[in-house]
């Protein structure tokens, strides 16, 4: 990939500033820089042949291996940031990308050798390296069906029969639910943690019963209820400047480095606002900082989404600068932090605007039902797709209605075309068994409140 032209910093938040990413790639347009990295990988490989016995030497070797990882990760991050900004057109020149993927392949062989060397000497290696080994071991290679699942992703948002054909393949591809086992393993979860229990069902049904009672209609439609929900928060609006100000303030009360990082994200042009439904809110983690993309319309839900994505960004920043920097973050931990930062924001807004506390509390409750309860329901649906009794599109529609009925209860009328709504849940097609991550993370965020012990987890002085 050839580095594109530099762009000036963008105070309008229309686009990410690509300077940092371009700098990373420009460095590796230089032949000598590439040779140096290749040399580092080769040295690490050779060092493994005579694995040191002394803890200091082991630590030195470990730091060397981690440095290579950071460099390779930076190149990948730079490519991702540029491609997400400029689109696939920049893929035409693949020179750096090809070289990078060759180095990654060689490096993964080094890591494999390094892991087995550590395994043989586990009791001699320093604690930090043992912790790293444990966290990497939890990232078992994706099971074989994962590859087949990727073909299913192509059928997202097509017609009912195609969508059914795609989802019905799941039972054939993965009868033993290996994708589920993998997701549980890499996030260190038990199957039961994702259950949509009768307690969840009672709580969500009570929530909708209460909403329905606010209308003058007997059994209002789901469409009507969603409208009502939205109208309850409509009186609250915040400009982006106001939102950034309150986030900076509330996050820095958790940890002093948060304000510093939010300022850097803004100053370095790593926050961009997008419109159009095809661009999701996201936070892209790279070794040179996290990049946030967001649909923002000043509504309360979009202010909370900003808290969520900036929550990911500040958490990733703290993690990168902690002694656990090289330990991978798993999805459930990562989402737990982001969801807890949402609560930090809502708590702050409740103090700053006591008049709005009924609005804010209503939103708090709707978010809990949506992220925890609804995602557990979706997970139950996803799991049941693997049941051999699912043989036709009608079976899927019926399953969908039955599971949703447990979530919404009888006080809400589900519209006739709602039976096809499973086609719109893109995670079912693109990320097998990812939906449960949100339900578990929300419950953990509300129970454990990790931001309340953030200073113990990430002491200010550690580097
Ligand atoms: Zn998230």
């Amino acid at each position: 990939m050839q580095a594109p032209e530099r762009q000036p910093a963008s105070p309008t938040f229309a686009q990410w500033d690509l300077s940092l990413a371009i700098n990373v790639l420009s460095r590796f347009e230089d032949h000598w820089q590439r040779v140096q990295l290749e040399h580092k990988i080769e040295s690490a490989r050779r060092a493994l042949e005579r694995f040191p016995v002394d803890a200091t030497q082991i630590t030195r070797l470990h730091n060397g291996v981690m440095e290579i990882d950071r460099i390779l990760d930076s190149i990948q991050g730079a490519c991702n940031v540029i491609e997400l900004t400029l689109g696939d057109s920049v893929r035409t020149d693949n020179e750096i990308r090809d070289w990078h993927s060759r180095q990654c392949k060689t490096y993964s062989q080094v890591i494999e050798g390094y892991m087995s060397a550590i395994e043989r000497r586990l009791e001699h290696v320093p604690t930090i390296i043992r912790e790293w080994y444990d966290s990497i071991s939890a990232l078992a290679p994706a099971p074989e069906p994962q590859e087949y699942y990727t073909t299913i992703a192509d059928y997202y948002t097509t017609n009912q029969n195609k969508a059914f054909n795609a989802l019905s393949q799941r039972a054939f591809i993965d009868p033993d639910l290996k994708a589920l086992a993998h997701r549980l393993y890499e996030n260190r979860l038990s199957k039961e943690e994702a259950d949509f229990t009768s307690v969840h069902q009672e709580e969500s049904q009570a929530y909708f019963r209460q909403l329905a009672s606010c209308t003058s209609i007997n059994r209002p439609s789901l469409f009507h209820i969603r409208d009502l929900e939205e109208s309850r928060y409509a009186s609250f609006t915040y400009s982006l400047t106001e939102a950034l100000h309150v986030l900076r303030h509330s996050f820095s009360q958790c940890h002093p480095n948060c304000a510093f990082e939010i300022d850097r994200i803004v100053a370095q042009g790593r926050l961009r606002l997008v419109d159009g439904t095809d661009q999701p809110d996201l936070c892209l983690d790279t070794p040179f900082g996290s990049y946030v993309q967001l649909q923002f319309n000043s509504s309360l839900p979009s202010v909370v989404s900003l808290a969520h994505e900036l929550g990911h960004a500040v958490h990733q920043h703290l993690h990168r600068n902690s002694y656990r920097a090289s330990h991978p973050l798993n999805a459930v931990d990562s989402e737990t932090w982001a969801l807890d930062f949402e609560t930090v924001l809502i708590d702050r807004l409740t103090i700053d605007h006591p008049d709005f506390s009924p609005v804010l509390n209503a939103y708090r409750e709707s978010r809990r039902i949506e992220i925890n309860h609804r995602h557990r329901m979706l997970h139950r649906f996803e799991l049941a797709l693997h049941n051999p009794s699912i043989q036709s599109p009608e079976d899927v529609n019926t399953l969908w209605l039955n599971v949703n009925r447990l979530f919404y209860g009888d006080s809400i009328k589900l519209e006739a075309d709602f039976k096809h709504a499973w086609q719109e849940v893109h995670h079912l097609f693109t990320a097998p068994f990812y939906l449960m991550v949100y339900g578990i993370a929300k419950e953990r965020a509300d129970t454990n409140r990790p931001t309340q012990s953030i200073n113990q987890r990430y002491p200010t002085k550690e580097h």
Side-chain angles (χ1 to χ4, degrees):
M1 177 188 290
Q2 214 160 29
E5 297 272 300
R6 262 163 220 277
Q7 295 179 343
S10 148
T12 59
F13 300 105
Q15 208 45 277
W16 287 331
D17 181 346
L18 297 181
S19 308
L20 292 171
I22 291 170
N23 277 347
V24 171
L25 290 192
S26 306
R27 212 145 49 97
F28 291 94
E29 275 168 8
D30 182 323
H31 175 70
W32 179 236
Q33 292 282 354
R34 293 195 199 182
V35 171
Q36 269 192 320
L37 182 63
E38 287 166 19
H39 180 71
K40 273 185 184 143
I41 298 174
E42 179 55 23
S43 306
R45 194 188 62 75
R46 256 191 265 130
L48 291 180
E49 287 168 8
R50 289 180 15 180
F51 195 82
V53 279
D54 164 63
T56 317
Q57 285 176 324
I58 296 177
T59 305
R60 195 176 305 138
L61 172 64
H62 182 76
N63 291 342
V65 173
M66 291 305 104
E67 193 199 341
I68 300 167
D69 187 52
R70 247 189 328 275
I71 296 171
L72 290 171
D73 216 18
S74 294
I75 299 171
Q76 182 65 56
C79 292
N80 293 344
V81 167
I82 290 171
E83 275 174 23
L84 269 168
T85 306
L86 304 178
D88 284 347
S89 57
V90 291
R91 279 173 180 271
T92 44
D93 188 340
N94 274 333
E95 209 207 333
I96 287 188
R97 192 172 270 283
D98 289 348
W99 170 79
H100 173 258
S101 88
R102 281 198 305 279
Q103 303 317 310
C104 285
K105 216 172 273 173
T106 317
Y107 178 69
S108 71
Q109 289 160 1
V110 171
I111 284 290
E112 228 170 84
Y114 182 49
M115 295 285 283
S116 48
I118 294 180
E119 199 182 339
R120 288 195 297 274
R121 297 169 181 79
L122 212 48
E123 65 279 17
H124 302 297
V125 302
T127 316
I128 175 73
I129 300 179
R130 209 164 38 232
E131 285 174 6
W132 173 86
Y133 173 85
D134 288 343
S135 63
I136 296 291
S137 306
L139 296 177
E144 217 177 284
Q146 201 87 10
E147 262 176 50
Y148 300 117
Y149 272 114
T150 57
T151 59
I152 293 175
D154 299 338
Y155 291 97
Y156 169 57
T157 68
T158 52
N159 70 42
Q160 179 181 258
N161 284 334
K162 279 189 179 169
F164 166 73
N165 286 339
L167 291 193
S168 67
Q169 280 181 45
R170 296 181 57 141
F172 296 110
I173 290 171
D174 192 10
D176 307 326
L177 298 169
K178 283 186 184 159
L180 173 64
H182 181 247
R183 192 74 75 193
L184 294 170
Y185 185 67
E186 70 178 0
N187 286 287
R188 294 161 189 252
L189 304 171
S190 72
K191 225 178 189 166
E192 295 69 32
E193 274 177 279
D195 281 352
F196 181 42
T197 65
S198 56
V199 174
H200 293 107
Q201 291 163 34
E202 278 158 28
E203 284 182 0
S204 63
Q205 292 186 20
Y207 171 79
F208 288 106
R209 211 164 30 244
Q210 199 270 330
L211 273 180
S213 72
C214 297
T215 70
S216 51
I217 311 164
N218 181 33
R219 287 193 89 212
S221 71
L222 180 55
F223 180 75
H224 191 99
I225 285 296
R226 291 300 186 199
D227 247 16
L228 172 70
E229 261 187 317
E230 217 171 286
S231 70
R232 296 209 294 176
Y233 329 123
S235 58
F236 185 98
T237 58
Y238 245 32
S239 70
L240 181 66
T241 313
E242 288 171 318
L244 284 171
H245 178 78
V246 72
L247 282 171
R248 196 182 177 281
H249 179 59
S250 55
F251 285 16
S252 66
Q253 286 188 327
C254 299
H255 195 289
N257 290 0
C258 291
F260 167 72
E261 185 53 17
I262 291 178
D263 290 345
R264 263 185 7 137
I265 289 170
V266 172
Q268 295 181 343
R270 289 191 272 122
L271 167 64
R272 70 167 174 185
L273 306 185
V274 291
D275 43 24
T277 45
D278 58 333
Q279 283 171 302
D281 295 348
L282 61 85
C283 178
L284 178 68
D285 186 16
T286 82
F288 48 93
S290 299
Y291 287 71
V292 170
Q293 165 177 301
L294 189 80
Q295 308 218 13
F296 187 84
N297 61 7
S298 295
S299 66
L300 180 58
S302 74
V303 175
V304 172
S305 295
L306 181 63
H308 183 103
E309 301 307 337
L310 283 180
H312 274 307
V314 295
H315 172 241
Q316 285 159 359
H317 167 77
L318 293 172
H319 183 78
R320 267 196 301 277
N321 289 289
S322 75
Y323 90 104
R324 298 183 195 85
S326 52
H327 300 197
L329 284 171
N330 70 41
V332 169
D333 283 348
S334 204
E335 287 307 328
T336 303
W337 280 95
L339 288 162
D340 195 25
F341 272 113
E342 291 184 12
T343 304
V344 169
L345 168 78
I346 297 175
D347 285 348
R348 183 73 248 164
L349 293 176
T350 312
I351 294 167
D352 290 351
H353 307 283
D355 294 356
F356 276 97
S357 70
V359 171
L360 294 162
N361 286 339
Y363 188 69
R364 211 190 281 268
E365 185 62 356
S366 79
R367 192 79 181 140
R368 189 173 79 91
I369 299 295
E370 169 65 23
I371 305 295
N372 185 0
H373 301 55
R374 183 159 172 271
H375 281 84
R376 286 169 186 275
M377 177 271 285
L378 293 172
H379 175 63
R380 179 182 282 197
F381 171 76
E382 182 168 21
L383 207 52
L385 286 173
H386 288 255
N387 195 319
S389 65
I390 303 296
Q391 292 290 336
S392 69
E394 264 324 302
D395 292 342
V396 179
N397 293 343
T398 308
L399 171 68
W400 175 252
L401 287 175
N402 289 342
V403 179
N404 273 276
R405 184 52 70 203
L406 296 176
F407 174 69
Y408 290 109
D410 291 326
S411 52
I412 309 282
K413 190 169 73 204
L414 301 173
E415 291 92 347
D417 60 352
F418 180 76
K419 64 180 181 181
H420 306 300
W422 52 269
Q423 289 173 50
E424 288 154 31
V425 185
H426 75 94
H427 278 94
L428 292 173
F429 297 84
T430 55
F433 297 111
Y434 196 87
L435 288 160
M436 70 172 170
V437 163
Y438 295 108
I440 296 171
K442 179 61 179 159
E443 199 150 300
R444 284 191 186 177
D446 290 351
T447 315
N448 304 341
R449 299 297 320 271
T451 57
Q452 291 182 347
S453 52
I454 190 170
N455 287 288
Q456 283 98 290
R457 176 83 185 171
Y458 298 108
T460 330
K461 280 182 189 158
E462 73 179 356
H463 286 290

